[in-house]
């Protein structure tokens, strides 16, 4: 089945630094989503991308839908301690009520 | 954003007990809900897709008689873990999707511990 390759697996950064993580796929997706999960909680939607080439921001977060539709990246600028958590990318072949394919996650640690 | 409520948030019970987990969409109608299982330090693993008014679609390797799913209304789906055993201990998460091509929103998960 489809798989998403998410990297890096983990990151250790200093507060204030910028962060970048990405997902790649061998399949074309028509929707890319980025979620953040805190320990013991469900994932929270950060950004949804629907068009190839689309660049979308949500506060200090910016994500892009790759032109080839096989990749996406998430950037976090000026990281703060509350950015700590696990970030997951997810793709859908079409969208809406279709099931998600998840990456394995990027664990972010921010040192104050 | 859309709100999905999951209950209970955690449960501890004896082996052989059946446990029911509820997933409600609070501010939208979810024609489709999804049930995931997550092991520590791993990604979410889709168990089944739940469609309102019809039978759930289970992923390969998920026992439908073990994990009973009911989606009787547009705002409620339930997952029942029947005759639970310690190996069923896990973090179970549901998600819901609106009708009109909107992304999935997740509940806060249920931590299930079987003794």
């Amino acid at each position: 089945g489809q798989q998403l390759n998410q990297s890096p697996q983990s990151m250790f950064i200093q507060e204030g630094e910028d962060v970048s993580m990405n997902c790649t796929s061998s399949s074309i997706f028509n929707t890319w989503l980025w979620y953040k999960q805190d320990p013991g909680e469900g994932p929270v939607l950060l950004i949804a991308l629907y068009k190839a080439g689309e660049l979308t921001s949500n506060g200090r977060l910016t994500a892009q839908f790759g032109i080839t539709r096989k990749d996406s990246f998430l950037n976090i600028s000026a990281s703060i301690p509350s950015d700590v958590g696990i970030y997951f990318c997810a793709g859908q072949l079409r969208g809406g009520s279709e099931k998600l394919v998840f990456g394995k996650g990027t664990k972010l640690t921010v040192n104050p | 954003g859309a709100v999905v409520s999951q209950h209970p948030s955690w449960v501890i019970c004896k082996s052989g007990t059946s446990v029911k987990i509820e997933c409600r969409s609070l501010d939208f109608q979810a024609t489709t809900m999804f049930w995931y299982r997550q092991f520590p330090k791993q990604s979410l693993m889709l168990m089944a897709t739940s469609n309102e008014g019809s039978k759930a679609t289970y992923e390969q390797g998920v026992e439908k008689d073990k994990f009973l799913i009911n989606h009787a209304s547009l705002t409620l789906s339930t997952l029942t873990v029947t005759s639970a055993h310690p190996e069923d201990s896990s973090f179970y998460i549901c998600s819901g999707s609106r009708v009109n091509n909107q992304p999935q929103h997740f509940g806060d998960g249920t931590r299930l511990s079987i003794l």
Side-chain angles (χ1 to χ4, degrees):
Chain A
Q2 293 110 8
Q3 286 188 337
L4 292 183
N5 300 308
Q6 185 171 349
S7 65
Q9 186 175 353
S10 62
M11 301 183 74
F12 298 84
I13 61 170
Q14 293 296 127
E15 182 177 358
E17 290 183 354
D18 298 341
V19 172
S20 183
M21 59 192 79
N22 69 85
C23 272
T24 60
S25 169
S26 57
S27 303
I28 289 175
F29 287 96
N30 285 325
T31 300
W32 283 92
L33 305 166
W34 285 92
Y35 291 89
K36 181 187 179 216
Q37 186 178 28
D38 291 328
E41 298 182 13
V44 173
L45 180 68
L46 299 174
I47 293 178
L49 302 160
Y50 300 104
K51 287 176 57 177
E54 180 181 357
L55 184 71
T56 298
S57 294
N58 178 6
R60 293 178 296 105
L61 278 62
T62 302
Q64 185 159 30
F65 192 144
I67 291 291
T68 65
R69 293 193 285 162
K70 292 184 178 181
D71 64 307
S72 177
F73 72 74
L74 174 71
N75 287 340
I76 305 173
S77 63
S79 59
I80 59 178
S82 62
D83 290 334
V84 165
I86 301 178
Y87 292 79
F88 290 101
C89 63
Q92 286 179 309
L93 287 174
R94 285 173 284 278
S97 58
E98 192 187 54
K99 63 183 180 182
L100 294 173
V101 178
F102 274 91
K104 292 189 175 182
T106 296
K107 183 178 181 181
L108 179 63
T109 302
V110 180
N111 296 315
Chain B
V3 178
V4 175
S5 174
Q6 198 170 330
H7 178 80
S9 56
W10 62 275
V11 58
I12 303 173
C13 57
K14 294 181 179 180
S15 184
T17 306
S18 291
V19 179
K20 180 185 282 188
I21 302 170
E22 292 186 347
C23 180
R24 294 181 184 274
S25 56
L26 298 184
D27 59 351
F28 67 100
Q29 292 184 326
T31 55
T32 305
M33 287 185 172
F34 301 87
W35 288 95
Y36 296 83
R37 185 173 181 176
Q38 187 177 32
F39 292 104
K41 299 183 179 180
Q42 293 191 21
S43 188
L44 284 75
M45 181 187 77
L46 181 65
M47 298 174 66
T49 302
S50 167
N51 295 298
E52 186 265 337
S54 64
K55 290 184 179 180
T57 302
Y58 290 82
E59 294 298 301
Q60 192 173 6
V62 178
E63 299 177 58
K64 58 182 66 177
D65 294 330
K66 175 75 171 177
F67 300 99
L68 300 179
I69 291 173
N70 183 278
H71 194 157
S73 78
L74 287 172
T75 59
L76 174 64
S77 176
T78 61
L79 167 68
T80 301
V81 183
T82 62
S83 188
H85 292 283
E87 59 266 27
D88 298 322
S89 298
S90 191
F91 192 54
Y92 293 88
I93 313 172
C94 69
S95 72
S97 180
R98 292 178 192 266
V99 176
N100 298 320
N101 196 32
Q102 292 294 310
Q104 291 179 34
H105 292 271
F106 288 82
D108 276 340
T110 296
R111 173 74 57 194
L112 176 62
S113 295
I114 308 298
L115 304 178

